[in-house]
Amino acid sequence: MKVKINSIPPGPRARGIIEVMNRNCYNSTFTYPLVISGGQGCVITDVDGNSFLDFSSNIGTCPLGYSHPAILEVLSEYSHNGAHKIAGQDYYCKEHADLSEKVRTILPAGFKTFFVNSGAEAVENAIKLAYRKMSTETPSLLPGLSCTNAFHGRTLGALSFTLSKPIQKAGYPELPALRIKFCTDENDSEIESLQKILESNKVAFIISEVVQGEGGYNFASKRFVQNLRRCADKFGVPLILDEVQSGMGRTGKWWAFEHYDVIPDIMSAAKALQVGMSAYDAKFDPGEQGALSSTWGGGSRIDMAVGTATIDVINRDGLLKNALAMGERLQKGIGDLSKDDKTGITGVRGKGLMIGLELDSKSRRDQLLTRAFKNGLLLLPAGQKAMRLIPPLVITAEEIDEGLELMQDIFAQT
Ligand SMILES: Cc1ncc(COP(=O)(O)O)c(C=O)c1O
């Protein structure tokens, strides 16, 4: 067993740290009182010596788990290099060049890249690229078009096209936006509504996830995504696909849109890549210096080097295949678990290691998350009453089975 709970978390050290943070910092989106100390593989340790099996990958940011030898090697290279954090869009560095070459091998042909710090910034700059191009054709401020339950980040531009939770938007100004329903059912009659909207409105871009993350782990129907592409082409509108959560192998392909046989015009990635990235068909390049920039663009040299190493390891160790095999094992295990009505599980959906589990109520979901944490398993919420399971891509069959065993105990207590 990898999980070890010495004292029910939060233990004394964790409580002390949380107290200081509560005194000094904004109380943001902490799901449970985990105070991270270190980690090994898919196990994360807290400051009181508890070990948790991590089915959250630190919100999708740690696809290789913790202390992966290839990543430790990168980190050790920089331990004596004091110029690790540089102004990455103002000065050149080899790590930037290396990452741009490496991502080219997994991006659609001919795409260019712009590296930033976060997922929201990656979306923000994707939006800017689209506006820049479209504003040369139509100088007035055009609306962007996004989907119900979408999540694209919390900076003001990206937030305008986010619709997953009211608390994220309350009181903030917005760019003009039109909405369409995010359709998960192949036969949803709403799929056709996009064409009608575009017949009567000129828009600057269409933005969507193909698998909604924060919005509830909703998987778009193939017809819906292909219709986005068809309409974008027909009306001459750029299609932005947001792969911040679903990208970098999480669904068993490098990008979730590959399951849908479409290619976006512009896309965003971050999280598992370690840095934010807006990537785009070269025809959307602003063509003038200075239209986009950021002091910390690319995060740091370490982040960029870790991003490059992450792509190498995913390739070298066949982690896309592992994501598919382990995802299937996990989904099957949850399916077996859900045969017992008392668990409150009303549905399971997933691709690779991006799995959503629907519960019958929000209160049950929240109780289960807390109970899982106290029992040494890290799970996350998504949407109104769903849970997401996104273990590191390096997870083994034994670890999946240990997680399922823990879930069995946790769900049996309801
Ligand atoms: C699809 C999607 N877009 C954008 C973001 C924003 O990324 P960040 O939190 O790094 O700003 C997220 C974060 O969860 C996301 O899931």
Side-chain angles (χ1 to χ4, degrees), residues 26-155:
Y26 171 64
N27 184 9
S28 181
T29 48
F30 302 101
T31 307
Y32 31 69
L34 172 67
V35 181
I36 294 172
S37 153
Q40 186 72 47
C42 295
V43 171
I44 201 162
T45 46
D46 79 355
V47 287
D48 294 291
N50 295 313
S51 303
F52 303 81
L53 188 56
D54 183 7
F55 274 20
S56 81
S57 298
N58 249 281
I59 330 289
T61 61
C62 297
L64 307 185
Y66 307 97
S67 306
H68 191 285
I71 302 305
L72 291 184
E73 199 180 310
V74 173
L75 297 183
S76 72
E77 269 172 42
Y78 287 88
S79 64
H80 296 290
N81 184 335
H84 63 287
K85 184 96 178 159
I86 62 160
Q89 297 292 350
D90 298 283
Y91 298 111
Y92 297 94
C93 66
K94 184 172 181 303
E95 293 78 7
H96 199 151
D98 288 347
L99 182 59
S100 70
E101 284 283 279
K102 190 61 67 181
V103 291
R104 261 164 58 98
T105 64
I106 59 171
L107 284 174
F111 267 39
K112 295 185 78 174
T113 46
F114 175 68
F115 294 110
V116 281
N117 300 282
S118 66
E121 282 177 84
V123 171
E124 202 73 24
N125 285 287
I127 289 171
K128 284 174 74 175
L129 286 162
Y131 270 128
R132 183 105 190 154
K133 174 93 172 152
M134 297 303 276
S135 65
T136 55
E137 294 167 19
T138 311
S140 62
L141 178 59
L142 295 173
L145 191 145
S146 72
C147 297
T148 52
N149 293 318
F151 185 86
H152 297 297
R154 298 173 176 91
T155 51

Side-chain angles (χ1 to χ4, degrees), residues 2 11 35 40 68 82 92 113 150 156 161 172 189 244 247 267 271 307 316-317 320 338 340 379 406:
K2 307 224 164 171
V35 181
Q40 186 72 47
H68 191 285
Y92 297 94
T113 46
L156 285 178
F161 305 101
Y172 303 129
S189 59
V244 167
M267 59 182 277
K271 288 193 187 281
R316 187 196 69 193
D317 295 350
L320 300 185
S338 69
D340 177 355
L379 302 172
L406 285 164

Side-chain angles (χ1 to χ4, degrees), residues 266-288:
I266 304 173
M267 59 182 277
S268 49
K271 288 193 187 281
L273 183 61
Q274 309 299 300
V275 300
M277 173 181 76
S278 316
Y280 54 95
D281 185 306
K283 72 173 182 253
F284 289 93
D285 194 279
E288 267 176 288

